[in-house]
Amino acid sequence: MKNNNIFKKIINHEISSNIIYQDNLITAFYDINPKAPVHILLVPNIEISTMNEINNKHKNILTRLMTVAVKIAIKKKINKSGYRLVINCNKHGCQDVYHLHIHLLGGKPLGPFCT
Ligand code: AMP
């Protein structure tokens, strides 16, 4: 998986995507198959395959992912109506892409559960 996952190619601008935010730690881009009017993925620039790999060394990345998710929610005007942040992990969590990512979903009532 190292250096060969689809999100890494997006981060490195090796394939086309709709990036809306990028800095030294994270990248955010529109999900190619949106499940809600707003569906944006936030990913660390370094390769972390799943939540299981997270440790204290990643606290700056995790903080940045969360704070930028909120900034994007405000920019998309869904902060007051509400939104959902989702991290899928491994098979039972329905993780398809093994590069850690947060789904930012909103723009409609999301119901009890979805990604
Ligand atoms: P997950 O099931 O949590 O691993 O979610 C993976 C997400 O990545 C899905 O919502 C896909 O629609 C999305 N996705 C896969 N390939 C791309 C891509 N090239 N650009 C944007 N989003 C993608």
Side-chain angles (χ1 to χ4, degrees):
M1 194 70 65
K2 287 255 180 223
N3 298 318
N4 196 30
N5 71 60
I6 191 85
F7 289 175
K8 194 66 181 166
K9 289 177 180 167
I10 290 171
I11 293 160
N12 293 338
H13 303 266
E14 290 167 8
I15 62 168
S16 70
S17 67
N18 205 341
I19 291 176
I20 59 166
Y21 179 90
Q22 187 163 48
D23 62 25
N24 61 319
L25 293 179
I26 73 158
T27 300
F29 52 91
Y30 287 94
D31 195 292
I32 203 168
N33 183 21
K35 313 295 192 304
V38 176
H39 190 172
I40 288 161
L41 301 174
L42 298 103
V43 306
N45 293 341
I46 62 165
E47 291 190 65
I48 303 170
S49 59
T50 79
M51 268 308 286
N52 291 331
E53 279 63 61
I54 285 295
N55 60 52
N56 279 338
K57 285 186 296 185
H58 300 124
K59 62 185 177 185
N60 289 347
I61 292 170
L62 294 172
T63 301
R64 188 72 57 83
L65 287 167
M66 291 294 179
T67 54
V68 171
V70 174
K71 282 182 182 162
I72 293 173
I74 292 167
K75 192 174 173 189
K76 293 291 177 187
K77 302 187 190 311
I78 59 170
N79 55 310
K80 295 219 168 98
S81 55
Y83 54 89
R84 180 174 292 152
L85 301 179
V86 174
I87 298 174
N88 295 324
C89 182
N90 279 337
K91 190 175 175 186
H92 285 191
C94 293
Q95 183 175 4
D96 288 328
V97 178
Y98 281 78
H99 183 117
L100 178 67
H101 50 284
I102 300 177
H103 297 257
L104 168 60
L105 296 143
K108 70 171 186 180
L110 295 170
F113 188 80
C114 73
T115 64

